[in-house]
Amino acid sequence: MTAQSAFDLIFRNALLRGAADPMDIGVTRGRITAIEPTLACEAAEVDVGGRLALPGFVDSHIHLDKACLLGRCGHDHGSVSEAIRALSEMKKGFSVEDVYARGARVLERAIVHGTTRMRTHVEIDPRIGLRGFEAVKALKRDYAWAIDLSLCVFPQEGLTNDPGSEELLIQALRDGGEVIGGCPYTDTDPNAHLARIFDLAEAFDLDVDLHLDFDLDPSWWHLDEVCRQTERRNYGGRVAIGHATKLSALPPERLRAATAQLAKAGVAVTVLPATDLYLMGREATHNAPRGLTLAHKLAADGVLCSIATNNVLNPFTPFGDASLLRMANFYANVAHASVNDFDTCLDLVTELPARLMNLGDYGIKVGNPADLIVLDTQDSRFAVAELPDVAMGFKSGRQTFARQRPTVFRPGS
């Protein structure tokens, strides 16, 4: 038993991943200062009750600026290009207030589902200007009490072929953009697009997060150029690619080669199950391909991976509740993950996306912020399998939400 008088808060009986027995977690001024079996101290207490405590889910790829649009778009969109065209027209009418309101709706769902860190991609081009960026900057500020929001600015509809986009992109980078993204498959000169994105990343010393290879034709791709740029600029560990559905269409020998290439270059992969499954293979008449890159298998072979939300209730994905635990369960089902892979599937929405985002202060560790959530389970292996309730959450030691256990009313009760 350790006695200390400096704790502001103690979490009692918290089960940590990999631990056999519950621990106490001492918090001082919003940071974890002790993790021991028994802490003796007069301080406010939260009894976790032997349930699983996690540092929160990490959503490494989401689009808050174009969420919650189903009521506006008619939704007859069955391909990536059709979804892009639909959004291109709609975003001309987006206001700062509109983007803020829709983004806040998704953020609040994410918070009560246990997400504590998030990277949102924000479109920058002459049609939306900086209105979406200004709205998401305000969301970052206004929701900092519950979630750390990182802004990745990117040109969705090309760069070299879209005059005015680069100037707006640079303006956003000077005004708070924290990561730079790209979308080379929408540009008439994909390699020049990539080169310019990497140029800007170096100039502003920012990580890169790209939309890449989003179809099922493995006869061509931009992965080679991304790996080449990454290695040439010594940017390993600072580059991620989202979707990469072409990898799901590769035969085993080509997939092994691509996996080795990604691992060697230090390029991470974010799989976006809801969008990838919805948009890929729609033209098939039978035996439709899933179009889902197997993140847990890539991770086992040395590629840093995550799974994330991407879109919520819009032409790219007409589903979603911003629950990463549900997304991990969905992924595990569709990816034919074995029971032995369930812990890795949990890693794909916690530890691994935190590494992808280079979050040095993530985790329930002494010295880190006291950000944690409590799942209503006693075994991390069952978190993905049974989708337990996320019972409560804390940011820097302050409670951000609570969910009451359902009550079953038996006859005569």
Side-chain angles (χ1 to χ4, degrees):
M1 180 179 291
T2 296
Q4 183 172 328
S5 59
F7 297 130
D8 304 319
L9 173 68
I10 298 176
F11 294 100
R12 300 284 188 194
N13 304 309
L15 185 66
L16 306 181
R17 289 186 72 185
D21 300 303
M23 305 289 280
D24 288 352
I25 303 170
V27 178
T28 308
R29 292 187 293 277
R31 291 192 171 269
I32 297 169
T33 47
I35 303 175
E36 298 185 20
T38 306
L39 294 172
C41 176
E42 291 294 327
E45 296 185 1
V46 175
D47 187 359
V48 178
R51 292 176 292 180
L52 179 66
L54 297 173
F57 299 117
V58 181
D59 204 330
S60 61
H61 188 128
I62 193 169
H63 295 262
L64 294 177
D65 57 340
K66 57 190 182 188
C68 304
L69 292 168
L70 284 193
R72 306 184 193 182
C73 63
H75 206 81
D76 293 322
H77 319 296
S79 70
V80 177
S81 59
E82 288 172 344
I84 290 173
R85 282 196 297 272
L87 259 299
S88 180
E89 191 59 34
M90 277 193 287
K91 69 186 174 185
K92 294 176 185 177
F94 289 174
S95 66
V96 173
E97 295 75 17
D98 171 43
V99 175
Y100 184 98
R102 290 184 287 102
R105 176 180 166 189
V106 175
L107 268 184
E108 291 182 13
R109 294 295 300 276
I111 289 164
V112 299
H113 285 308
T115 297
T116 56
R117 311 285 185 107
M118 177 183 284
R119 174 182 287 174
T120 181
H121 291 250
V122 185
E123 295 189 18
I124 306 289
D125 61 39
R127 287 154 294 285
I128 182 64
L130 296 175
R131 297 189 302 277
F133 178 65
E134 292 300 328
V136 178
K137 275 202 308 178
L139 289 169
K140 174 184 174 71
R141 177 195 66 223
D142 293 349
Y143 283 89
W145 55 270
I147 190 167
D148 292 322
L149 186 59
S150 174
L151 280 59
C152 176
V153 296
F154 84 112
Q156 168 77 75
E157 300 178 47
L159 185 62
T160 70
N161 58 322
D162 198 6
S165 287
E166 182 169 331
E167 291 78 8
L168 287 166
L169 196 59
I170 291 171
Q171 190 174 340
L173 292 174
R174 288 173 174 162
D175 195 28
E178 297 159 284
V179 181
I180 187 167
C183 198
Y185 57 80
T186 62
D187 203 307
T188 52
D189 192 341
N191 286 354
H193 180 114
L194 288 168
R196 190 60 188 139
I197 294 300
F198 274 91
D199 286 344
L200 291 170
E202 287 190 309
F204 287 88
D205 191 22
L206 300 176
D207 290 358
V208 175
D209 196 334
L210 303 161
H211 293 66
L212 203 77
D213 293 341
F214 193 16
D215 61 53
L216 297 179
D217 179 1
S219 66
W220 63 273
W221 61 13
H222 299 128
L223 186 147
D224 290 338
E225 180 63 14
V226 170
C227 290
R228 189 185 74 81
Q229 291 280 357
T230 301
E231 292 183 314
R232 184 171 75 82
R233 299 171 191 258
N234 195 29
Y235 240 60
R238 302 190 66 180
V239 178
I241 58 175
H243 298 294
T245 50
K246 287 179 185 283
L247 293 173
S248 74
L250 295 179
E253 64 279 3
R254 283 193 63 195
L255 180 59
R256 281 192 293 270
T259 301
Q261 182 180 18
L262 288 163
K264 177 176 177 289
V267 173
V269 175
T270 297
V271 172
L272 304 161
T275 303
D276 297 346
L277 285 159
Y278 178 72
L279 289 175
M280 295 297 100
R282 295 180 68 86
E283 70 286 350
T285 60
H286 60 285
N287 284 341
R290 298 179 181 219
L292 187 75
T293 291
L294 299 183
H296 68 291
K297 292 188 178 294
L298 289 179
D301 288 329
V303 179
L304 180 58
C305 291
S306 68
I307 57 178
T309 299
N310 195 43
N311 283 293
V312 177
L313 304 175
N314 74 9
F316 293 87
T317 318
F319 312 101
D321 60 359
S323 168
L324 281 176
L325 189 59
R326 185 185 65 82
M327 193 64 70
N329 170 278
F330 179 49
Y331 169 85
N333 271 273
V334 178
H336 291 149
S338 70
V339 174
N340 291 335
D341 295 321
F342 286 177
D343 260 328
T344 300
C345 291
L346 188 58
D347 290 337
L348 287 166
V349 291
T350 53
E351 304 290 342
L352 296 179
R355 283 177 49 201
L356 183 152
M357 292 173 59
N358 289 309
L359 302 177
D361 62 351
Y362 177 83
I364 301 178
K365 302 172 185 175
V366 171
N368 281 355
D371 300 349
L372 62 89
I373 61 172
V374 176
L375 272 60
D376 194 11
T377 184
Q378 283 74 44
D379 192 328
S380 65
R381 294 174 300 175
F382 294 122
V384 168
E386 65 180 355
L387 293 176
D389 285 339
V390 185
M392 63 183 84
F394 297 80
K395 180 77 167 67
S396 297
R398 176 192 173 276
Q399 188 160 9
T400 54
F401 73 91
R403 180 178 282 107
Q404 300 299 317
R405 278 184 173 174
T407 301
V408 176
F409 295 102
R410 300 183 183 281
S413 61

